[in-house]
Every structure is written in structure tokens, then in C-alpha cells.
Amino acid sequence: MDERLQIIDFSQPNEVIGFTLLLFLIVFIRYVIVSAIFFGVFYRLGGQKFAARKISIGSWKKGQFKKEIIYSALTSFVFALSGVGMLWAWQIGKTAIYTDLSIFGYWYLPVSLLIALLIHETYYYWAHRLMHLPGLFKAVHKTHHESLISSPWTAFSFHPWESLLQAIIVPLIVWFLPMHIYVVLAMLVIMTVSAVVNHLDIEIFPENFDQHWLGKWLIGATHHSLHHSEFNTNYGLYFTFWDKWMHTESRKYERLFKEKTSKKTSVAAHQ
């Protein structure tokens, strides 16, 4: 018999407000730490080493980082509200989240994670395309695209309406898909790290990885940077399959990936 943890008493407003603020701090600090690590490693400590792998030409807008962090704080608050709602639904037995590993066994942990990521990918791809429709773009998605050259700080830089669209998918998934609580937490971490990597604007995948049996299905900085510069290509989040199937993958992708990851290019940049 699986037991749900009674973390907070939702009949007590003070507990709900306090937990919401705590969850906001956890989400926001996680974003800051992950973004700071990638920015520090790839732009400060390894600036020269990774210069050849920088995708975009030019620099960031004046005040871009400050604006991105402010919007990311708003996004973190929206995500915290979503998390509180998901916790409430779990405590009253309205989700498929479980804590007892014996219910499905260890083999199901990675399977459920993959299924959840595939569902999320499908939701995000089509929601992302909708957000690029003229009527929705200005109201919902324009804020994110104001970062023409993305940075690790762009990862959570969304208008609150877009944040809400992104925040509802995990609660929807756990409503019907059985997931261990630690798998849910792992997915949230993957979402943050993936978002930072995709917006890094420095390709971290190895040479020819885009031709590897796994690599050709994974999205990295080159893939997503093209979306920020072209706007109408590369809508995916984790995986490339929807872009490939819908013929929305940029024709420049393979050439640009090869150019940025080539060892010859890297050597030339250090000479």
C-alpha cells in the first residue's frame, strides 16, 4: 500500500503561503546555480577554450542578463504555484505519483521518465508552434525571443503567460502516468539543465554527435540557437523527432554543428 506524505496542511493559509515561498526559492535558486555553473565554466573559466564553439556572432544586448533574471524569477514563482497545486492533488489522491518502489519495480523508473519526457516533448513542440502564430507571439512568446543571442540566463526567461503554459504539463502528466516521486524530481532537474544547455550558445556535444544513433535525436545549443535566430525552425525541447517529422528542422543545423565542433576549427581558433 503506497502512502502519500502529508507535507503541508492545505486548510492552513499560512502553511500554504510559506510552502509556496519556499518552493519558489528552491526553483529560483536551482535555476541560478545551474545557470551560473554553465556561465562560469564556458564563458569565464573556459572562455578561450570554447571560443570556437560559440554559435552566434556578436554579443548580448545591454541589460539582457538583468531582464532575463527578473523574468526567470517570475517564471520560478509560476512554477512554484504549479508545484503547490501538484502537491495538493497528490495529497488528496488525485495523481498517479507513488512512493513505494515495490508497486512497479526498479525497471519502471527509467521507463516512466522516458515516457514523461516524450509526452512533454510532444506537448512543447505543438504549444511552441502555436506560440509563434502572430496573434499569440506578441502576447506570449515575444519576451523569450527578445534574447536574440541566448545565454544560460535565458533558460527561464518567459512572459508569465508562457510560464503558465510550461507549468501545467508536469501536473497533467502525473495525473494519469504513474511516476515515483523521485522520478518526478529527476524530471524537473532535467528540465532545468536541458534549458540551460540549449540556451548556452556554446555547443558542448562532441564532434559528429549529431550523426550518432543517440545524438541525432537530442537537442543542444546549436539546434536551439538556430531557433532564436531563424524563429520558424527547431521548435523542439529535448528531442529532434518532431522537427524531423514535420520538416521544421533548420537546413543549416548539420553544417553549423559540424563547423562548431570540428577539431580543425578548434585548433584554428587557438592559433
PDB file of all heavy atoms in Angstrom, residues 98-133:
ATOM      1  N   TYR A  98       3.628   7.925  -6.863  1.00  0.00           N
ATOM      2  CA  TYR A  98       3.718   6.922  -5.801  1.00  0.00           C
ATOM      3  C   TYR A  98       5.093   6.986  -5.143  1.00  0.00           C
ATOM      4  O   TYR A  98       6.043   7.584  -5.674  1.00  0.00           O
ATOM      5  CB  TYR A  98       3.460   5.515  -6.359  1.00  0.00           C
ATOM      6  CG  TYR A  98       4.485   5.029  -7.358  1.00  0.00           C
ATOM      7  CD1 TYR A  98       5.532   4.191  -6.950  1.00  0.00           C
ATOM      8  CD2 TYR A  98       4.425   5.394  -8.701  1.00  0.00           C
ATOM      9  CE1 TYR A  98       6.486   3.729  -7.863  1.00  0.00           C
ATOM     10  CE2 TYR A  98       5.361   4.937  -9.617  1.00  0.00           C
ATOM     11  CZ  TYR A  98       6.393   4.115  -9.193  1.00  0.00           C
ATOM     12  OH  TYR A  98       7.337   3.674 -10.092  1.00  0.00           O
ATOM     13  N   THR A  99       5.219   6.378  -3.967  1.00  0.00           N
ATOM     14  CA  THR A  99       6.475   6.384  -3.217  1.00  0.00           C
ATOM     15  C   THR A  99       7.013   4.977  -2.947  1.00  0.00           C
ATOM     16  O   THR A  99       8.179   4.819  -2.603  1.00  0.00           O
ATOM     17  CB  THR A  99       6.301   7.105  -1.867  1.00  0.00           C
ATOM     18  OG1 THR A  99       5.260   6.462  -1.116  1.00  0.00           O
ATOM     19  CG2 THR A  99       5.945   8.566  -2.080  1.00  0.00           C
ATOM     20  N   ASP A 100       6.176   3.982  -3.096  1.00  0.00           N
ATOM     21  CA  ASP A 100       6.571   2.603  -2.799  1.00  0.00           C
ATOM     22  C   ASP A 100       7.148   1.957  -4.052  1.00  0.00           C
ATOM     23  O   ASP A 100       6.432   1.694  -5.020  1.00  0.00           O
ATOM     24  CB  ASP A 100       5.352   1.819  -2.307  1.00  0.00           C
ATOM     25  CG  ASP A 100       5.712   0.419  -1.840  1.00  0.00           C
ATOM     26  OD1 ASP A 100       6.873   0.000  -2.035  1.00  0.00           O
ATOM     27  OD2 ASP A 100       4.820  -0.259  -1.303  1.00  0.00           O
ATOM     28  N   LEU A 101       8.458   1.700  -4.046  1.00  0.00           N
ATOM     29  CA  LEU A 101       9.127   1.149  -5.225  1.00  0.00           C
ATOM     30  C   LEU A 101       8.619  -0.241  -5.603  1.00  0.00           C
ATOM     31  O   LEU A 101       8.728  -0.652  -6.755  1.00  0.00           O
ATOM     32  CB  LEU A 101      10.639   1.086  -4.989  1.00  0.00           C
ATOM     33  CG  LEU A 101      11.385   2.414  -5.079  1.00  0.00           C
ATOM     34  CD1 LEU A 101      12.815   2.253  -4.576  1.00  0.00           C
ATOM     35  CD2 LEU A 101      11.381   2.916  -6.508  1.00  0.00           C
ATOM     36  N   SER A 102       8.073  -0.958  -4.640  1.00  0.00           N
ATOM     37  CA  SER A 102       7.614  -2.322  -4.920  1.00  0.00           C
ATOM     38  C   SER A 102       6.377  -2.359  -5.812  1.00  0.00           C
ATOM     39  O   SER A 102       6.035  -3.399  -6.369  1.00  0.00           O
ATOM     40  CB  SER A 102       7.324  -3.058  -3.608  1.00  0.00           C
ATOM     41  OG  SER A 102       6.200  -2.474  -2.950  1.00  0.00           O
ATOM     42  N   ILE A 103       5.709  -1.225  -5.962  1.00  0.00           N
ATOM     43  CA  ILE A 103       4.478  -1.199  -6.759  1.00  0.00           C
ATOM     44  C   ILE A 103       4.767  -1.512  -8.225  1.00  0.00           C
ATOM     45  O   ILE A 103       4.082  -2.319  -8.856  1.00  0.00           O
ATOM     46  CB  ILE A 103       3.781   0.170  -6.625  1.00  0.00           C
ATOM     47  CG1 ILE A 103       3.291   0.379  -5.198  1.00  0.00           C
ATOM     48  CG2 ILE A 103       2.612   0.276  -7.603  1.00  0.00           C
ATOM     49  CD1 ILE A 103       2.638   1.728  -4.964  1.00  0.00           C
ATOM     50  N   PHE A 104       5.803  -0.882  -8.800  1.00  0.00           N
ATOM     51  CA  PHE A 104       6.126  -1.112 -10.213  1.00  0.00           C
ATOM     52  C   PHE A 104       7.524  -1.688 -10.424  1.00  0.00           C
ATOM     53  O   PHE A 104       7.838  -2.146 -11.509  1.00  0.00           O
ATOM     54  CB  PHE A 104       6.007   0.203 -11.002  1.00  0.00           C
ATOM     55  CG  PHE A 104       4.599   0.705 -11.122  1.00  0.00           C
ATOM     56  CD1 PHE A 104       4.130   1.698 -10.278  1.00  0.00           C
ATOM     57  CD2 PHE A 104       3.731   0.186 -12.077  1.00  0.00           C
ATOM     58  CE1 PHE A 104       2.826   2.171 -10.379  1.00  0.00           C
ATOM     59  CE2 PHE A 104       2.436   0.646 -12.191  1.00  0.00           C
ATOM     60  CZ  PHE A 104       1.978   1.642 -11.340  1.00  0.00           C
ATOM     61  N   GLY A 105       8.365  -1.647  -9.395  1.00  0.00           N
ATOM     62  CA  GLY A 105       9.718  -2.168  -9.517  1.00  0.00           C
ATOM     63  C   GLY A 105      10.693  -1.135 -10.066  1.00  0.00           C
ATOM     64  O   GLY A 105      10.304  -0.081 -10.577  1.00  0.00           O
ATOM     65  N   TYR A 106      11.975  -1.476  -9.978  1.00  0.00           N
ATOM     66  CA  TYR A 106      13.025  -0.546 -10.408  1.00  0.00           C
ATOM     67  C   TYR A 106      13.064  -0.347 -11.922  1.00  0.00           C
ATOM     68  O   TYR A 106      13.414   0.731 -12.397  1.00  0.00           O
ATOM     69  CB  TYR A 106      14.391  -1.045  -9.924  1.00  0.00           C
ATOM     70  CG  TYR A 106      14.598  -0.895  -8.432  1.00  0.00           C
ATOM     71  CD1 TYR A 106      14.354  -1.951  -7.568  1.00  0.00           C
ATOM     72  CD2 TYR A 106      15.042   0.314  -7.907  1.00  0.00           C
ATOM     73  CE1 TYR A 106      14.538  -1.803  -6.194  1.00  0.00           C
ATOM     74  CE2 TYR A 106      15.234   0.477  -6.542  1.00  0.00           C
ATOM     75  CZ  TYR A 106      14.978  -0.590  -5.687  1.00  0.00           C
ATOM     76  OH  TYR A 106      15.156  -0.442  -4.332  1.00  0.00           O
ATOM     77  N   TRP A 107      12.706  -1.365 -12.683  1.00  0.00           N
ATOM     78  CA  TRP A 107      12.789  -1.264 -14.144  1.00  0.00           C
ATOM     79  C   TRP A 107      11.885  -0.170 -14.689  1.00  0.00           C
ATOM     80  O   TRP A 107      12.172   0.432 -15.733  1.00  0.00           O
ATOM     81  CB  TRP A 107      12.387  -2.606 -14.785  1.00  0.00           C
ATOM     82  CG  TRP A 107      10.920  -2.925 -14.613  1.00  0.00           C
ATOM     83  CD1 TRP A 107      10.357  -3.601 -13.577  1.00  0.00           C
ATOM     84  CD2 TRP A 107       9.851  -2.557 -15.481  1.00  0.00           C
ATOM     85  NE1 TRP A 107       8.986  -3.687 -13.739  1.00  0.00           N
ATOM     86  CE2 TRP A 107       8.657  -3.050 -14.903  1.00  0.00           C
ATOM     87  CE3 TRP A 107       9.778  -1.867 -16.689  1.00  0.00           C
ATOM     88  CZ2 TRP A 107       7.406  -2.871 -15.496  1.00  0.00           C
ATOM     89  CZ3 TRP A 107       8.533  -1.680 -17.284  1.00  0.00           C
ATOM     90  CH2 TRP A 107       7.364  -2.180 -16.696  1.00  0.00           C
ATOM     91  N   TYR A 108      10.796   0.106 -13.954  1.00  0.00           N
ATOM     92  CA  TYR A 108       9.823   1.074 -14.445  1.00  0.00           C
ATOM     93  C   TYR A 108      10.285   2.524 -14.261  1.00  0.00           C
ATOM     94  O   TYR A 108       9.782   3.425 -14.930  1.00  0.00           O
ATOM     95  CB  TYR A 108       8.484   0.870 -13.719  1.00  0.00           C
ATOM     96  CG  TYR A 108       7.395   1.804 -14.174  1.00  0.00           C
ATOM     97  CD1 TYR A 108       6.819   1.686 -15.439  1.00  0.00           C
ATOM     98  CD2 TYR A 108       6.938   2.835 -13.338  1.00  0.00           C
ATOM     99  CE1 TYR A 108       5.821   2.550 -15.863  1.00  0.00           C
ATOM    100  CE2 TYR A 108       5.936   3.692 -13.742  1.00  0.00           C
ATOM    101  CZ  TYR A 108       5.386   3.553 -15.016  1.00  0.00           C
ATOM    102  OH  TYR A 108       4.391   4.416 -15.434  1.00  0.00           O
ATOM    103  N   LEU A 109      11.257   2.753 -13.378  1.00  0.00           N
ATOM    104  CA  LEU A 109      11.701   4.125 -13.106  1.00  0.00           C
ATOM    105  C   LEU A 109      12.202   4.828 -14.371  1.00  0.00           C
ATOM    106  O   LEU A 109      11.694   5.901 -14.727  1.00  0.00           O
ATOM    107  CB  LEU A 109      12.772   4.145 -12.017  1.00  0.00           C
ATOM    108  CG  LEU A 109      12.357   3.597 -10.644  1.00  0.00           C
ATOM    109  CD1 LEU A 109      13.527   3.648  -9.674  1.00  0.00           C
ATOM    110  CD2 LEU A 109      11.172   4.369 -10.082  1.00  0.00           C
ATOM    111  N   PRO A 110      13.202   4.257 -15.091  1.00  0.00           N
ATOM    112  CA  PRO A 110      13.659   4.925 -16.320  1.00  0.00           C
ATOM    113  C   PRO A 110      12.610   4.917 -17.423  1.00  0.00           C
ATOM    114  O   PRO A 110      12.547   5.847 -18.243  1.00  0.00           O
ATOM    115  CB  PRO A 110      14.912   4.141 -16.727  1.00  0.00           C
ATOM    116  CG  PRO A 110      14.740   2.809 -16.088  1.00  0.00           C
ATOM    117  CD  PRO A 110      14.018   3.064 -14.805  1.00  0.00           C
ATOM    118  N   VAL A 111      11.778   3.876 -17.454  1.00  0.00           N
ATOM    119  CA  VAL A 111      10.720   3.794 -18.472  1.00  0.00           C
ATOM    120  C   VAL A 111       9.720   4.930 -18.290  1.00  0.00           C
ATOM    121  O   VAL A 111       9.347   5.618 -19.250  1.00  0.00           O
ATOM    122  CB  VAL A 111      10.010   2.423 -18.415  1.00  0.00           C
ATOM    123  CG1 VAL A 111       8.788   2.418 -19.327  1.00  0.00           C
ATOM    124  CG2 VAL A 111      10.968   1.309 -18.809  1.00  0.00           C
ATOM    125  N   SER A 112       9.296   5.133 -17.047  1.00  0.00           N
ATOM    126  CA  SER A 112       8.320   6.202 -16.784  1.00  0.00           C
ATOM    127  C   SER A 112       8.918   7.573 -17.070  1.00  0.00           C
ATOM    128  O   SER A 112       8.226   8.470 -17.572  1.00  0.00           O
ATOM    129  CB  SER A 112       7.827   6.131 -15.333  1.00  0.00           C
ATOM    130  OG  SER A 112       8.889   6.314 -14.415  1.00  0.00           O
ATOM    131  N   LEU A 113      10.213   7.733 -16.777  1.00  0.00           N
ATOM    132  CA  LEU A 113      10.877   9.008 -17.062  1.00  0.00           C
ATOM    133  C   LEU A 113      10.901   9.271 -18.568  1.00  0.00           C
ATOM    134  O   LEU A 113      10.585  10.384 -19.018  1.00  0.00           O
ATOM    135  CB  LEU A 113      12.303   8.997 -16.507  1.00  0.00           C
ATOM    136  CG  LEU A 113      13.144  10.244 -16.811  1.00  0.00           C
ATOM    137  CD1 LEU A 113      12.500  11.499 -16.230  1.00  0.00           C
ATOM    138  CD2 LEU A 113      14.566  10.064 -16.277  1.00  0.00           C
ATOM    139  N   LEU A 114      11.249   8.253 -19.348  1.00  0.00           N
ATOM    140  CA  LEU A 114      11.302   8.415 -20.798  1.00  0.00           C
ATOM    141  C   LEU A 114       9.917   8.723 -21.362  1.00  0.00           C
ATOM    142  O   LEU A 114       9.771   9.609 -22.221  1.00  0.00           O
ATOM    143  CB  LEU A 114      11.874   7.150 -21.449  1.00  0.00           C
ATOM    144  CG  LEU A 114      11.963   7.180 -22.991  1.00  0.00           C
ATOM    145  CD1 LEU A 114      12.835   8.343 -23.456  1.00  0.00           C
ATOM    146  CD2 LEU A 114      12.482   5.853 -23.519  1.00  0.00           C
ATOM    147  N   ILE A 115       8.910   8.009 -20.889  1.00  0.00           N
ATOM    148  CA  ILE A 115       7.540   8.265 -21.363  1.00  0.00           C
ATOM    149  C   ILE A 115       7.137   9.703 -21.054  1.00  0.00           C
ATOM    150  O   ILE A 115       6.571  10.410 -21.903  1.00  0.00           O
ATOM    151  CB  ILE A 115       6.545   7.279 -20.718  1.00  0.00           C
ATOM    152  CG1 ILE A 115       6.808   5.857 -21.209  1.00  0.00           C
ATOM    153  CG2 ILE A 115       5.107   7.686 -21.036  1.00  0.00           C
ATOM    154  CD1 ILE A 115       5.997   4.797 -20.481  1.00  0.00           C
ATOM    155  N   ALA A 116       7.440  10.159 -19.840  1.00  0.00           N
ATOM    156  CA  ALA A 116       7.092  11.528 -19.447  1.00  0.00           C
ATOM    157  C   ALA A 116       7.806  12.551 -20.318  1.00  0.00           C
ATOM    158  O   ALA A 116       7.216  13.553 -20.737  1.00  0.00           O
ATOM    159  CB  ALA A 116       7.429  11.750 -17.975  1.00  0.00           C
ATOM    160  N   LEU A 117       9.081  12.308 -20.619  1.00  0.00           N
ATOM    161  CA  LEU A 117       9.841  13.236 -21.455  1.00  0.00           C
ATOM    162  C   LEU A 117       9.295  13.273 -22.883  1.00  0.00           C
ATOM    163  O   LEU A 117       9.233  14.346 -23.508  1.00  0.00           O
ATOM    164  CB  LEU A 117      11.323  12.842 -21.473  1.00  0.00           C
ATOM    165  CG  LEU A 117      12.087  13.026 -20.161  1.00  0.00           C
ATOM    166  CD1 LEU A 117      13.510  12.506 -20.300  1.00  0.00           C
ATOM    167  CD2 LEU A 117      12.107  14.489 -19.725  1.00  0.00           C
ATOM    168  N   LEU A 118       8.866  12.117 -23.391  1.00  0.00           N
ATOM    169  CA  LEU A 118       8.288  12.067 -24.736  1.00  0.00           C
ATOM    170  C   LEU A 118       6.951  12.806 -24.793  1.00  0.00           C
ATOM    171  O   LEU A 118       6.656  13.505 -25.770  1.00  0.00           O
ATOM    172  CB  LEU A 118       8.118  10.617 -25.184  1.00  0.00           C
ATOM    173  CG  LEU A 118       9.419   9.837 -25.439  1.00  0.00           C
ATOM    174  CD1 LEU A 118       9.117   8.371 -25.725  1.00  0.00           C
ATOM    175  CD2 LEU A 118      10.210  10.446 -26.596  1.00  0.00           C
ATOM    176  N   ILE A 119       6.149  12.646 -23.735  1.00  0.00           N
ATOM    177  CA  ILE A 119       4.880  13.381 -23.670  1.00  0.00           C
ATOM    178  C   ILE A 119       5.145  14.882 -23.595  1.00  0.00           C
ATOM    179  O   ILE A 119       4.508  15.682 -24.293  1.00  0.00           O
ATOM    180  CB  ILE A 119       4.045  12.921 -22.457  1.00  0.00           C
ATOM    181  CG1 ILE A 119       3.609  11.472 -22.625  1.00  0.00           C
ATOM    182  CG2 ILE A 119       2.824  13.822 -22.263  1.00  0.00           C
ATOM    183  CD1 ILE A 119       2.972  10.870 -21.391  1.00  0.00           C
ATOM    184  N   HIS A 120       6.090  15.249 -22.752  1.00  0.00           N
ATOM    185  CA  HIS A 120       6.447  16.663 -22.607  1.00  0.00           C
ATOM    186  C   HIS A 120       6.948  17.229 -23.935  1.00  0.00           C
ATOM    187  O   HIS A 120       6.590  18.343 -24.321  1.00  0.00           O
ATOM    188  CB  HIS A 120       7.515  16.810 -21.530  1.00  0.00           C
ATOM    189  CG  HIS A 120       7.781  18.233 -21.151  1.00  0.00           C
ATOM    190  ND1 HIS A 120       8.829  18.601 -20.331  1.00  0.00           N
ATOM    191  CD2 HIS A 120       7.154  19.392 -21.490  1.00  0.00           C
ATOM    192  CE1 HIS A 120       8.816  19.917 -20.167  1.00  0.00           C
ATOM    193  NE2 HIS A 120       7.820  20.417 -20.869  1.00  0.00           N
ATOM    194  N   GLU A 121       7.781  16.468 -24.621  1.00  0.00           N
ATOM    195  CA  GLU A 121       8.296  16.908 -25.923  1.00  0.00           C
ATOM    196  C   GLU A 121       7.166  17.175 -26.909  1.00  0.00           C
ATOM    197  O   GLU A 121       7.160  18.195 -27.600  1.00  0.00           O
ATOM    198  CB  GLU A 121       9.235  15.836 -26.495  1.00  0.00           C
ATOM    199  CG  GLU A 121       9.796  16.154 -27.871  1.00  0.00           C
ATOM    200  CD  GLU A 121      10.735  17.348 -27.863  1.00  0.00           C
ATOM    201  OE1 GLU A 121      11.512  17.479 -26.900  1.00  0.00           O
ATOM    202  OE2 GLU A 121      10.687  18.147 -28.827  1.00  0.00           O
ATOM    203  N   THR A 122       6.216  16.268 -26.957  1.00  0.00           N
ATOM    204  CA  THR A 122       5.086  16.423 -27.882  1.00  0.00           C
ATOM    205  C   THR A 122       4.259  17.651 -27.529  1.00  0.00           C
ATOM    206  O   THR A 122       3.917  18.451 -28.410  1.00  0.00           O
ATOM    207  CB  THR A 122       4.202  15.159 -27.857  1.00  0.00           C
ATOM    208  OG1 THR A 122       4.995  14.037 -28.254  1.00  0.00           O
ATOM    209  CG2 THR A 122       3.005  15.310 -28.797  1.00  0.00           C
ATOM    210  N   TYR A 123       3.957  17.805 -26.254  1.00  0.00           N
ATOM    211  CA  TYR A 123       3.200  18.984 -25.809  1.00  0.00           C
ATOM    212  C   TYR A 123       3.948  20.268 -26.155  1.00  0.00           C
ATOM    213  O   TYR A 123       3.367  21.216 -26.698  1.00  0.00           O
ATOM    214  CB  TYR A 123       2.962  18.903 -24.306  1.00  0.00           C
ATOM    215  CG  TYR A 123       2.419  20.174 -23.698  1.00  0.00           C
ATOM    216  CD1 TYR A 123       1.054  20.442 -23.716  1.00  0.00           C
ATOM    217  CD2 TYR A 123       3.272  21.111 -23.107  1.00  0.00           C
ATOM    218  CE1 TYR A 123       0.543  21.621 -23.162  1.00  0.00           C
ATOM    219  CE2 TYR A 123       2.776  22.281 -22.555  1.00  0.00           C
ATOM    220  CZ  TYR A 123       1.415  22.534 -22.594  1.00  0.00           C
ATOM    221  OH  TYR A 123       0.927  23.694 -22.056  1.00  0.00           O
ATOM    222  N   TYR A 124       5.245  20.291 -25.830  1.00  0.00           N
ATOM    223  CA  TYR A 124       6.016  21.520 -26.020  1.00  0.00           C
ATOM    224  C   TYR A 124       6.148  21.876 -27.501  1.00  0.00           C
ATOM    225  O   TYR A 124       6.011  23.050 -27.861  1.00  0.00           O
ATOM    226  CB  TYR A 124       7.411  21.363 -25.402  1.00  0.00           C
ATOM    227  CG  TYR A 124       8.235  22.622 -25.540  1.00  0.00           C
ATOM    228  CD1 TYR A 124       8.117  23.651 -24.612  1.00  0.00           C
ATOM    229  CD2 TYR A 124       9.114  22.784 -26.608  1.00  0.00           C
ATOM    230  CE1 TYR A 124       8.858  24.817 -24.737  1.00  0.00           C
ATOM    231  CE2 TYR A 124       9.852  23.950 -26.747  1.00  0.00           C
ATOM    232  CZ  TYR A 124       9.724  24.958 -25.810  1.00  0.00           C
ATOM    233  OH  TYR A 124      10.438  26.116 -25.957  1.00  0.00           O
ATOM    234  N   TYR A 125       6.415  20.893 -28.332  1.00  0.00           N
ATOM    235  CA  TYR A 125       6.611  21.188 -29.757  1.00  0.00           C
ATOM    236  C   TYR A 125       5.389  21.880 -30.341  1.00  0.00           C
ATOM    237  O   TYR A 125       5.500  22.922 -31.002  1.00  0.00           O
ATOM    238  CB  TYR A 125       6.899  19.895 -30.534  1.00  0.00           C
ATOM    239  CG  TYR A 125       6.998  20.137 -32.035  1.00  0.00           C
ATOM    240  CD1 TYR A 125       8.205  20.517 -32.601  1.00  0.00           C
ATOM    241  CD2 TYR A 125       5.883  19.998 -32.868  1.00  0.00           C
ATOM    242  CE1 TYR A 125       8.302  20.760 -33.968  1.00  0.00           C
ATOM    243  CE2 TYR A 125       5.975  20.241 -34.232  1.00  0.00           C
ATOM    244  CZ  TYR A 125       7.180  20.621 -34.770  1.00  0.00           C
ATOM    245  OH  TYR A 125       7.267  20.877 -36.120  1.00  0.00           O
ATOM    246  N   TRP A 126       4.208  21.330 -30.095  1.00  0.00           N
ATOM    247  CA  TRP A 126       2.995  21.894 -30.692  1.00  0.00           C
ATOM    248  C   TRP A 126       2.577  23.188 -29.996  1.00  0.00           C
ATOM    249  O   TRP A 126       2.089  24.131 -30.659  1.00  0.00           O
ATOM    250  CB  TRP A 126       1.878  20.864 -30.679  1.00  0.00           C
ATOM    251  CG  TRP A 126       2.176  19.757 -31.650  1.00  0.00           C
ATOM    252  CD1 TRP A 126       2.592  18.492 -31.359  1.00  0.00           C
ATOM    253  CD2 TRP A 126       2.145  19.851 -33.076  1.00  0.00           C
ATOM    254  NE1 TRP A 126       2.821  17.784 -32.508  1.00  0.00           N
ATOM    255  CE2 TRP A 126       2.547  18.586 -33.586  1.00  0.00           C
ATOM    256  CE3 TRP A 126       1.816  20.865 -33.971  1.00  0.00           C
ATOM    257  CZ2 TRP A 126       2.620  18.318 -34.949  1.00  0.00           C
ATOM    258  CZ3 TRP A 126       1.896  20.610 -35.336  1.00  0.00           C
ATOM    259  CH2 TRP A 126       2.287  19.351 -35.807  1.00  0.00           C
ATOM    260  N   ALA A 127       2.782  23.279 -28.680  1.00  0.00           N
ATOM    261  CA  ALA A 127       2.499  24.544 -27.990  1.00  0.00           C
ATOM    262  C   ALA A 127       3.443  25.634 -28.478  1.00  0.00           C
ATOM    263  O   ALA A 127       3.043  26.792 -28.665  1.00  0.00           O
ATOM    264  CB  ALA A 127       2.640  24.358 -26.477  1.00  0.00           C
ATOM    265  N   HIS A 128       4.693  25.256 -28.707  1.00  0.00           N
ATOM    266  CA  HIS A 128       5.699  26.202 -29.185  1.00  0.00           C
ATOM    267  C   HIS A 128       5.330  26.726 -30.581  1.00  0.00           C
ATOM    268  O   HIS A 128       5.437  27.932 -30.859  1.00  0.00           O
ATOM    269  CB  HIS A 128       7.065  25.517 -29.212  1.00  0.00           C
ATOM    270  CG  HIS A 128       8.213  26.459 -29.308  1.00  0.00           C
ATOM    271  ND1 HIS A 128       9.522  26.027 -29.318  1.00  0.00           N
ATOM    272  CD2 HIS A 128       8.275  27.821 -29.424  1.00  0.00           C
ATOM    273  CE1 HIS A 128      10.328  27.076 -29.415  1.00  0.00           C
ATOM    274  NE2 HIS A 128       9.594  28.172 -29.496  1.00  0.00           N
ATOM    275  N   ARG A 129       4.895  25.852 -31.442  1.00  0.00           N
ATOM    276  CA  ARG A 129       4.474  26.294 -32.781  1.00  0.00           C
ATOM    277  C   ARG A 129       3.265  27.222 -32.700  1.00  0.00           C
ATOM    278  O   ARG A 129       3.184  28.214 -33.435  1.00  0.00           O
ATOM    279  CB  ARG A 129       4.172  25.081 -33.673  1.00  0.00           C
ATOM    280  CG  ARG A 129       5.426  24.311 -34.067  1.00  0.00           C
ATOM    281  CD  ARG A 129       5.170  23.342 -35.209  1.00  0.00           C
ATOM    282  NE  ARG A 129       4.844  24.042 -36.454  1.00  0.00           N
ATOM    283  CZ  ARG A 129       4.724  23.432 -37.642  1.00  0.00           C
ATOM    284  NH1 ARG A 129       4.918  22.118 -37.726  1.00  0.00           N
ATOM    285  NH2 ARG A 129       4.420  24.111 -38.713  1.00  0.00           N
ATOM    286  N   LEU A 130       2.338  26.900 -31.803  1.00  0.00           N
ATOM    287  CA  LEU A 130       1.182  27.780 -31.626  1.00  0.00           C
ATOM    288  C   LEU A 130       1.614  29.160 -31.127  1.00  0.00           C
ATOM    289  O   LEU A 130       1.055  30.184 -31.542  1.00  0.00           O
ATOM    290  CB  LEU A 130       0.190  27.161 -30.643  1.00  0.00           C
ATOM    291  CG  LEU A 130      -0.655  25.998 -31.173  1.00  0.00           C
ATOM    292  CD1 LEU A 130      -1.464  25.383 -30.037  1.00  0.00           C
ATOM    293  CD2 LEU A 130      -1.581  26.465 -32.293  1.00  0.00           C
ATOM    294  N   MET A 131       2.608  29.185 -30.240  1.00  0.00           N
ATOM    295  CA  MET A 131       3.066  30.458 -29.699  1.00  0.00           C
ATOM    296  C   MET A 131       3.735  31.337 -30.755  1.00  0.00           C
ATOM    297  O   MET A 131       3.923  32.536 -30.539  1.00  0.00           O
ATOM    298  CB  MET A 131       4.032  30.229 -28.526  1.00  0.00           C
ATOM    299  CG  MET A 131       3.348  29.773 -27.255  1.00  0.00           C
ATOM    300  SD  MET A 131       4.442  29.773 -25.811  1.00  0.00           S
ATOM    301  CE  MET A 131       5.503  28.371 -26.175  1.00  0.00           C
ATOM    302  N   HIS A 132       4.086  30.745 -31.879  1.00  0.00           N
ATOM    303  CA  HIS A 132       4.695  31.525 -32.962  1.00  0.00           C
ATOM    304  C   HIS A 132       3.657  32.053 -33.955  1.00  0.00           C
ATOM    305  O   HIS A 132       4.025  32.752 -34.901  1.00  0.00           O
ATOM    306  CB  HIS A 132       5.754  30.695 -33.689  1.00  0.00           C
ATOM    307  CG  HIS A 132       7.101  30.769 -33.027  1.00  0.00           C
ATOM    308  ND1 HIS A 132       8.085  31.633 -33.437  1.00  0.00           N
ATOM    309  CD2 HIS A 132       7.602  30.102 -31.964  1.00  0.00           C
ATOM    310  CE1 HIS A 132       9.147  31.503 -32.677  1.00  0.00           C
ATOM    311  NE2 HIS A 132       8.877  30.568 -31.760  1.00  0.00           N
ATOM    312  N   LEU A 133       2.388  31.749 -33.729  1.00  0.00           N
ATOM    313  CA  LEU A 133       1.352  32.373 -34.541  1.00  0.00           C
ATOM    314  C   LEU A 133       1.310  33.863 -34.199  1.00  0.00           C
ATOM    315  O   LEU A 133       1.438  34.246 -33.036  1.00  0.00           O
ATOM    316  CB  LEU A 133      -0.005  31.728 -34.268  1.00  0.00           C
ATOM    317  CG  LEU A 133      -0.152  30.255 -34.677  1.00  0.00           C
ATOM    318  CD1 LEU A 133      -1.519  29.730 -34.257  1.00  0.00           C
ATOM    319  CD2 LEU A 133       0.044  30.087 -36.187  1.00  0.00           C
TER     320      LEU A 133
END
